[in-house]
Amino acid sequence: MTLRSETECLMSRLGVAADALSGGSMACVSPLTGERIADISPAGVADAAAAIAAAKAAFGDWRMVPAPRRGELVRLLGEELRAAKDDLGRLVSVEAGKSPSEGAGEVQEMIDICDFAVGLSRQLYGLTIATERPGHRMMETWHPLGPVGVITAFNFPVAVWAWNAALALVCGNPVIWKPSEKTPLTALACGAVLGRALARFGAAPEALVQVLPGGPELGNALVESPDVALVSATGSTRMGRIVGPKVAARFGRSILELGGNNAGIVCPSADTAMTLRAVAFGAMGTAGQRCTTMRRLFVHDDIYDALVPGLIRAYASVSVGNPLETDALVGPLIDGAAYRAMQEALEAARAAGGTVHGGTREDIGPDSAYYARPALVEMPAQTGPVLEETFAPILYVMRYSDFDAVLEAHNAVGAGLSSSIFTTDLREMELFLSARGSDCGIANVNIGTSGAEIGGAFGGEKETGGGRESGSDAWKSYMRRATNTINYSRELPLAQGVVFDI
Ligand code: NAD
């Protein structure tokens, strides 16, 4: 079976008719083979405007549905996702090139956030606050915010939408989704899965969740519209630099989930065997195409020779290939541009004195597919390409001898997403997690930088954008807070003892 016909079968089982997959002007390409697997019709800017108007109308009704009832829709979505897990996971592999376990894992993450959001739908708590005025009560109330525009990246084509949609829906907001132009099929499939949940739910407003496949111009329509209360944008820092100021200029709210340049520090007391496995998965998993991929590794002089030669051997021997045809651990890069960016970074690393191991193109599949052996680069210092995110499997390895200096070097890059320390020394661990330690939104001990779970808030600082999604109290970004003061006395005492007798 060709990938195109497999795609048609998967899409049809997921609920998208075959005639939606051909005849359109938007080519969908699988990175596994470079094969064209569908030609769909993109939405236009006028469609985006209509979608925003429809979402605004839906908001009027959805905000009045009690939150636990809104949670019921998300519970049903979780059930439909469980039923669709195999097909949707496989489609993620076909469209984004992930291994079957990573494709299925992404759908599992969608299910997990649905479970989380269902519980949350009964826990959208506000505080009761002590007031200085007698006969008064002060409290805060959380209300739905308005339509939420969700812009997503290719590398987590479905999970990031679910992180946003599950929370936005229980918080009382309609959702308009602009998926990556590289992965629109999985988005259409999610739309169909959600359609089944909506049908079972019954009386949800029209246009509660809409999908707009197409390019950045559609994202821009969401960004510029004053009727989109919150723009949750996941992608490169380059995109965030455009989107963030535009949303801010209209006093809209944004959640920015942007690029990472994640590092690990390996201390002398680290468990070398475990560290090697954690670094290998963190740096090579998903072919280096996770926002949390480990890209820099600082290794103490005393442990360098015990760790790095083994790591270089792991890079030389890791299986690279089509993950749907083999049990390869490293799949393809998303496209030729990603491969060229990887080669440019390696060239720059060589020019800066780096020793490159691996990084060459693997002869797998047709010319239109881009498979590369992951690269480990021993660098004399943190310079040149080490300071930037290249969205490919490159790990820059550097030596260190002084703990304070390595903390400083760790934080001396623009991005601030994820970080790890490998140590069994309590003092080093606590310092890394302290106010003068890692400046990232995620700081781990003895696990890699990638592979976050739903319960925690996900996101990062600095050029990663500052947004938080998914767990903890990330839901607060999807609601507006009102502080209410109620006077149940017959007096009118003023705060701070102010007198205004009239
Ligand atoms: P990208 O920035 O090229 O595109 C992301 C999305 O933004 C796409 O849907 C695209 O159409 C849209 N977009 C681009 N320019 C826009 C504009 N001017 N206005 C509105 N929308 C616009 O990113 P990508 O190549 O798809 O994904 C890889 C990047 O995403 C990496 O930098 C990675 O670190 C980052 N990422 C971050 C997270 C996170 O949670 N921090 C998660 C996944 C990916």
Side-chain angles (χ1 to χ4, degrees), residues 196-226:
R196 287 195 283 283
L198 282 166
R200 288 171 62 194
F201 180 76
E206 287 284 305
L208 188 56
V209 178
Q210 303 171 84
V211 183
L212 293 175
E217 68 286 356
L218 300 178
N220 189 55
L222 301 176
V223 165
E224 291 192 336
S225 170

Side-chain angles (χ1 to χ4, degrees), residues 316 318-321 339 359-366 369-374:
V318 71
S319 47
V320 180
Y339 175 73
T360 46
R361 190 158 175 194
E362 298 269 313
D363 187 15
I364 294 163
Y370 291 86
Y371 290 85
R373 178 147 297 278

Side-chain angles (χ1 to χ4, degrees), residues 152-223:
T152 53
F154 78 83
N155 66 318
F156 274 91
V158 292
V160 171
W161 168 71
W163 291 3
N164 282 280
L167 294 199
L169 286 171
V170 298
C171 289
N173 308 313
V175 174
I176 308 169
W177 181 14
K178 207 301 278 177
S180 166
E181 53 276 35
K182 293 173 188 168
T183 53
L185 298 179
T186 40
L188 295 178
C190 288
V193 172
L194 180 86
R196 287 195 283 283
L198 282 166
R200 288 171 62 194
F201 180 76
E206 287 284 305
L208 188 56
V209 178
Q210 303 171 84
V211 183
L212 293 175
E217 68 286 356
L218 300 178
N220 189 55
L222 301 176
V223 165

Side-chain angles (χ1 to χ4, degrees), residues 152-155 178 181 234-236 257-259 291 389 391 458:
T152 53
F154 78 83
N155 66 318
K178 207 301 278 177
E181 53 276 35
T234 299
S236 57
E257 297 280 351
L258 310 175
C291 51
E389 176 193 60
F391 214 54
F458 183 92

Side-chain angles (χ1 to χ4, degrees), residues 97-361:
K98 293 191 177 191
S99 72
S101 86
E102 287 174 331
E106 210 182 314
V107 183
Q108 185 57 47
E109 211 170 314
M110 303 173 82
I111 295 166
D112 293 344
I113 191 68
C114 286
D115 287 354
F116 181 91
V118 173
L120 190 63
S121 70
R122 291 180 186 270
Q123 299 175 78
L124 302 171
Y125 303 138
L127 297 172
T128 296
I129 300 149
T131 158
E132 66 191 52
R133 287 172 276 189
H136 283 56
R137 186 163 70 80
M138 185 156 57
M139 63 178 191
E140 58 184 26
T141 315
W142 291 89
H143 293 298
L145 187 66
V148 175
V150 180
I151 298 170
T152 53
F154 78 83
N155 66 318
F156 274 91
V158 292
V160 171
W161 168 71
W163 291 3
N164 282 280
L167 294 199
L169 286 171
V170 298
C171 289
N173 308 313
V175 174
I176 308 169
W177 181 14
K178 207 301 278 177
S180 166
E181 53 276 35
K182 293 173 188 168
T183 53
L185 298 179
T186 40
L188 295 178
C190 288
V193 172
L194 180 86
R196 287 195 283 283
L198 282 166
R200 288 171 62 194
F201 180 76
E206 287 284 305
L208 188 56
V209 178
Q210 303 171 84
V211 183
L212 293 175
E217 68 286 356
L218 300 178
N220 189 55
L222 301 176
V223 165
E224 291 192 336
S225 170
D227 291 326
V228 177
L230 168 67
V231 175
S232 176
T234 299
S236 57
T237 295
R238 184 199 59 75
M239 176 274 286
R241 281 192 208 286
I242 300 170
V243 164
K246 282 191 183 176
V247 179
R250 63 172 175 84
F251 297 102
R253 210 185 272 186
S254 60
I255 297 174
L256 297 177
E257 297 280 351
L258 310 175
N261 190 357
N262 318 295
I265 298 175
V266 188
C267 303
S269 66
D271 175 331
T272 22
M274 197 181 77
T275 304
L276 192 148
R277 286 179 50 222
V279 171
F281 171 69
M284 296 192 280
T286 326
Q289 297 170 113
R290 288 191 185 212
C291 51
T292 49
T293 291
M294 190 179 285
R295 307 198 181 280
R296 299 176 293 141
L297 189 68
F298 298 98
V299 186
H300 193 277
D301 278 331
D302 290 354
I303 199 170
Y304 197 93
D305 293 337
L307 179 75
V308 177
L311 209 46
I312 292 170
R313 282 195 295 279
Y315 268 69
S317 63
V318 71
S319 47
V320 180
N322 181 333
L324 292 191
E325 288 179 354
T326 66
D327 57 3
L329 292 175
V330 177
L333 293 166
I334 190 71
D335 54 21
Y339 175 73
R340 287 186 288 279
M342 179 178 180
Q343 297 310 311
E344 276 167 27
L346 292 177
E347 208 39 63
R350 278 189 199 97
T355 305
V356 177
H357 307 270
T360 46
R361 190 158 175 194

